[in-house]
Amino acid sequence: HGKGDGMVDRLFTAMCAEKGDLLERCRMYAAWTIPALVPPEGGEVSKTVTSYVRNGPRLVNSLGNKIVESMFPQSRPFFAVGLNPDIEKKLRAEVGEEAVAAMNVTVGAEARYLERYAMSKMNLLNYRPRAVEAAQLLIVTGNVVVRRLKSGDRVVYGIADFGVRRDITGKVYDVVFKDMMGYDELPDAAKEVAQLKQAKPDNVYENDSRTSKYPFYTRVYRVGEVWHQVHEVCGIRLTEESTFSDVDVPFIDLVWSLPRGYNYARGLCEEHANTFHNLNTLSEAILDIGNMLADIKWIVGPHSMLDVNALNNSARGSFHAGDAKDIQALMADKARELQALTALQES
């Protein structure tokens, strides 16, 4: 260790700085829709701020599920197996049209079997929740990376947990993932580093290293035609390094609307931010007026013969001496404003 120590940590910090106020904006968009998509900075111990938009979660959930169902339908294969067009062209030249037509019948039967077999092996029940989460993040924040682990499991990273850099065509050439891991979750090499260097974790609970959270970084970057993967824990570079081809690179980068020259995209919620903001303002005003209307206070004339305490403590249906005009309800006259705001919200 020693060579390159802290480089990935510094690179991730630089990538976060390049986001500008994107994270804060995405946290606001999440508050309008599904707050858990972009949690607060304090993590699970911090309170999540929500908005007054009622239809935000429904819209994102509905669109996210429709996207996933369109891409990965459960009732039929979403991919096709068949002859390669180049191979089919060569066969036509070598054996003729009739022979190729007969081959296509055989290939078609085998292909349908392979499609069904592949669908049964893909275990979409486990992958579908991750796909829906990725679609929701894509809609709300515009940026998401799905990473494939060695175990074959998929992990979805939101805008706060990864940084990217892109070339002029918009393709990623460098990505860094940040995971806060407990000691027992760390790879063996990372555990040894944490013990030897006495690395200080970000969040210490009761000074017990077994319950601490350690920052574990994974960097995947391209050099020429080869992808490299390195790891770093608490600023210490691990010796393990992996290489991948373009086909085997262990992540998929997804964006909604990526302007040319940008590292980070814009989501559907940002494109409609004014609408969400107006709905949030209207909903808050309606709620405030509703609370005012519901807060009814009763006043009794000062010269009334009614015993207020006795009236408050009396049973339902009891009789009391007095004049009904002595009691009046004190409440704000906001019914018209409420009706107007409700009609505006529904429009």
Side-chain angles (χ1 to χ4, degrees):
H1 304 291
K3 183 180 179 181
D5 286 352
M7 183 182 69
V8 182
D9 188 349
R10 293 192 295 271
L11 177 60
F12 183 79
T13 301
M15 287 177 170
C16 289
E18 292 166 1
K19 296 176 185 176
D21 64 344
L22 177 62
L23 182 57
E24 287 70 24
R25 298 202 313 271
C26 288
R27 190 165 282 126
M28 179 176 62
Y29 305 149
W32 289 339
T33 52
I34 304 177
L37 291 176
V38 188
E41 292 184 1
E44 60 184 327
V45 298
S46 299
K47 180 180 179 181
T48 300
V49 178
T50 58
S51 73
Y52 299 93
V53 180
R54 296 179 302 170
N55 295 325
R58 302 176 191 172
L59 293 171
V60 172
N61 277 319
S62 176
L63 182 56
N65 279 281
K66 286 181 179 179
I67 291 174
V68 172
E69 182 59 31
S70 298
M71 296 179 64
F72 308 108
Q74 300 184 43
S75 58
R76 66 183 187 279
F78 48 85
F79 54 89
V81 179
L83 282 176
N84 184 288
D86 294 332
I87 294 177
E88 186 174 352
K89 183 179 179 180
K90 291 180 180 180
L91 287 174
R92 290 181 187 279
E94 293 176 3
V95 300
E97 292 284 345
E98 293 183 1
V100 172
M103 289 179 186
N104 279 329
V105 174
T106 304
V107 170
E110 292 296 324
R112 286 189 292 273
Y113 169 77
L114 288 174
E115 291 167 0
R116 291 193 299 269
Y117 180 77
M119 288 288 292
S120 66
K121 290 296 183 181
M122 288 191 67
N123 197 1
L124 285 179
L125 290 178
N126 288 339
Y127 185 71
R128 186 171 292 273
R130 303 283 78 79
V132 172
E133 181 184 0
Q136 291 173 340
L137 281 166
L138 199 59
I139 294 166
V140 175
T141 69
N143 301 267
V144 63
V145 177
V146 182
R147 180 183 170 199
R148 185 181 69 252
L149 304 181
K150 287 184 178 180
S151 62
D153 294 328
R154 269 67 172 177
V155 181
V156 178
Y157 288 83
I159 187 65
D161 300 318
F162 74 89
V164 297
R165 283 179 177 166
R166 305 175 186 275
D167 59 21
I168 193 172
T169 66
K171 294 181 180 178
V172 173
Y173 65 83
D174 202 346
V175 58
V176 178
F177 304 99
K178 180 179 181 181
D179 294 285
M180 297 303 299
M181 292 187 175
Y183 181 84
D184 294 332
E185 299 177 80
L186 293 172
D188 292 338
K191 291 179 181 178
E192 295 176 4
V193 169
Q195 290 177 339
L196 291 174
K197 298 292 183 178
Q198 295 180 349
K200 295 182 180 180
D202 277 9
N203 300 317
V204 180
Y205 303 108
E206 300 178 358
N207 296 321
D208 183 358
S209 63
R210 296 279 173 168
T211 58
S212 301
K213 293 291 185 179
Y214 294 84
F216 186 83
Y217 294 95
T218 301
R219 182 189 181 195
V220 186
Y221 60 99
R222 188 179 70 234
V223 178
E225 300 298 324
V226 180
W227 288 86
H228 298 260
Q229 178 175 277
V230 296
H231 303 283
E232 187 177 288
V233 59
C234 297
I236 308 298
R237 172 78 171 268
L238 303 185
T239 56
E240 177 188 357
E241 182 172 339
S242 307
T243 57
F244 308 93
S245 65
D246 280 331
V247 177
D248 298 323
V249 67
F251 71 86
I252 299 176
D253 166 66
L254 302 172
V255 294
W256 186 270
S257 178
L258 181 66
R260 186 175 63 84
Y262 282 42
N263 286 321
Y264 301 96
R266 302 298 182 260
L268 183 63
C269 285
E270 179 154 322
E271 295 175 355
H272 298 273
N274 286 337
T275 301
F276 275 105
H277 178 268
N278 292 338
L279 284 173
N280 187 62
T281 303
L282 280 174
S283 298
E284 184 179 6
I286 290 172
L287 183 61
D288 289 342
I289 292 177
N291 289 335
M292 293 173 60
L293 293 176
D295 187 18
I296 302 175
K297 303 294 184 183
W298 296 94
I299 57 175
V300 179
H303 303 293
S304 174
M305 298 175 56
L306 282 169
D307 187 335
V308 176
N309 292 327
L311 185 64
N312 286 335
N313 297 323
S314 63
R316 184 180 302 166
S318 58
F319 293 86
H320 300 270
D323 190 345
K325 297 180 180 179
D326 292 341
I327 303 177
Q328 295 183 12
L330 180 63
M331 56 188 299
D333 185 14
K334 295 291 182 179
R336 291 184 178 179
E337 289 87 341
L338 180 61
Q339 185 178 6
L341 289 176
T342 304
L344 184 59
Q345 184 188 50
E346 292 176 352
S347 64

